[in-house]
Amino acid sequence: MSLKAQINDNRLPKHIAIIMDGNGRWAKKQGMARAFGHENGAKAVRQVVEGCAELGVENLTLYAFSTENWNRPKLEVQTLMRLLISSLKKEIKTLQDNHIKLCTIGNLSTLPSKVHKELVDVMEKTKLNTRMTLTIALSYGSREELVSVIKEISIKVKNNIISPENIDESIINEHLYTRNLPDVDLLVRTSGEQRISNFLLWQIAYAELYFTNTLWPDFSKEDLYYAIIEYQKRERRFGKTSEQIS
Ligand code: FPP
């Protein structure tokens, strides 16, 4: 039986989030500059977006650039930004053809204006697509997101729009950058690192974590299928007992 055929369509994760890691090491292994790794990382993005859309996964969130990534050498940051613009320009048709909506999370105001403009344009053009939501985390940090949630709620409390005793998990959810997305079901990190690195800390509370040694540019549809098959083997209890679940 093919790998894809081993996936149970009735138990697909509704939301997959991926920490794409290992572009630099992949390039180094071939004696190439880091930029080559990022370029091939963009090809892996295409594979995974296509793979998720074909399977019927409704939400895919990719960690493309963290708030900490601004500290990388200027040339590498420029390469990543250029790659983002060219990928967006190249993939808009694929997004439209496959009815995929593009969203972003993160502090977009810190991005170069060209990137910002291209993103806004693609988000506007794809906003009515409903088959899948592809969210790119850009200049994103989970702690920064939580600080912005607390600030927004505090202002509403100050202006008597929310009373402190009514603050609950759903109010916090409504103020997250991911307010329109369900919780993450499956979090994947490539390249052998087993860290969360400030990604979606609130949203992964009950996510299944899947770590693979595959470097991101090598991550293929088959690797995506392996991750989903492993996810489907796990028993998600959400704090209940096994007996309660069955
Ligand atoms: C991590 O590898 C990867 C990144 C910081 C960037 C991810 C960006 C892409 C895959 C390119 C395009 C993105 C889109 C959405 C089209 P690393 O550089 O940290 O690798 P290393 O740990 O081996 O050095």
Side-chain angles (χ1 to χ4, degrees), residues 20-26 34 37-42 45 62-66 69 72 76 80 83-84 87-88 136 191 193 215-216:
M20 309 180 287
D21 198 7
N23 292 353
R25 276 163 285 166
W26 185 90
R34 294 178 61 82
H38 295 313
E39 280 159 21
N40 283 277
V45 168
L62 301 175
Y63 205 3
F65 197 84
S66 71
N69 285 155
R72 291 195 172 194
E76 182 169 346
L80 279 167
L83 194 57
L84 201 64
S87 301
L88 286 167
I136 313 279
S191 89
E193 308 292 354
L215 302 174
W216 178 251

Side-chain angles (χ1 to χ4, degrees), residues 130-237:
T130 54
R131 180 174 176 201
M132 181 174 127
T133 300
L134 168 64
T135 303
I136 313 279
L138 280 168
S139 194
Y140 173 86
S142 190
R143 288 186 172 181
E144 191 270 334
E145 176 182 30
L146 293 172
V147 168
S148 85
V149 168
I150 292 165
K151 276 189 186 153
E152 273 189 37
I153 296 180
S154 306
I155 292 169
K156 289 186 182 169
V157 167
K158 191 170 146 205
N159 295 331
N160 294 319
I161 298 167
I162 295 176
S163 70
E165 53 279 12
N166 288 339
I167 297 175
D168 59 10
E169 291 186 14
S170 67
I171 292 206
I172 294 181
N173 277 327
E174 283 160 22
H175 290 83
L176 289 165
Y177 295 149
T178 54
R179 61 182 72 98
N180 298 317
L181 297 174
D183 269 0
V184 175
D185 295 311
L186 171 61
L187 175 76
V188 175
R189 182 169 190 153
T190 58
S191 89
E193 308 292 354
Q194 304 198 357
R195 288 189 291 277
I196 304 300
S197 301
N198 202 12
F199 191 42
L200 303 173
L201 298 178
W202 174 277
Q203 299 88 336
I204 60 164
Y206 289 102
E208 293 297 330
L209 309 183
Y210 178 86
F211 299 105
T212 169
N213 288 332
T214 304
L215 302 174
W216 178 251
D218 286 332
F219 198 86
S220 62
K221 282 187 192 174
E222 279 67 36
D223 292 287
L224 172 74
Y225 301 156
Y226 276 122
I228 296 176
I229 290 167
E230 169 66 25
Y231 163 85
Q232 293 188 332
K233 283 186 195 151
R234 308 231 186 128
E235 182 187 59
R236 304 187 75 204
R237 293 204 295 272

Side-chain angles (χ1 to χ4, degrees), residues 61-153:
T61 300
L62 301 175
Y63 205 3
F65 197 84
S66 71
T67 44
E68 291 74 24
N69 285 155
W70 289 115
N71 300 321
R72 291 195 172 194
K74 207 170 148 201
L75 198 65
E76 182 169 346
V77 173
Q78 280 173 356
T79 302
L80 279 167
M81 294 299 150
R82 249 202 318 269
L83 194 57
L84 201 64
I85 299 181
S86 64
S87 301
L88 286 167
K89 282 192 197 295
K90 207 158 66 192
E91 301 300 348
I92 174 84
K93 187 170 179 321
T94 317
L95 295 176
Q96 294 294 40
D97 290 349
N98 291 286
H99 310 284
I100 299 169
K101 175 162 87 173
L102 184 85
C103 294
T104 55
I105 52 173
N107 192 348
L108 288 199
S109 65
T110 56
L111 295 170
S113 58
K114 267 190 182 167
V115 180
H116 193 272
K117 203 170 142 274
E118 197 61 41
L119 279 168
V120 171
D121 182 50
V122 178
M123 286 193 288
E124 180 58 31
K125 286 184 177 142
T126 60
K127 71 178 181 194
L128 297 177
N129 293 343
T130 54
R131 180 174 176 201
M132 181 174 127
T133 300
L134 168 64
T135 303
I136 313 279
L138 280 168
S139 194
Y140 173 86
S142 190
R143 288 186 172 181
E144 191 270 334
E145 176 182 30
L146 293 172
V147 168
S148 85
V149 168
I150 292 165
K151 276 189 186 153
E152 273 189 37
I153 296 180

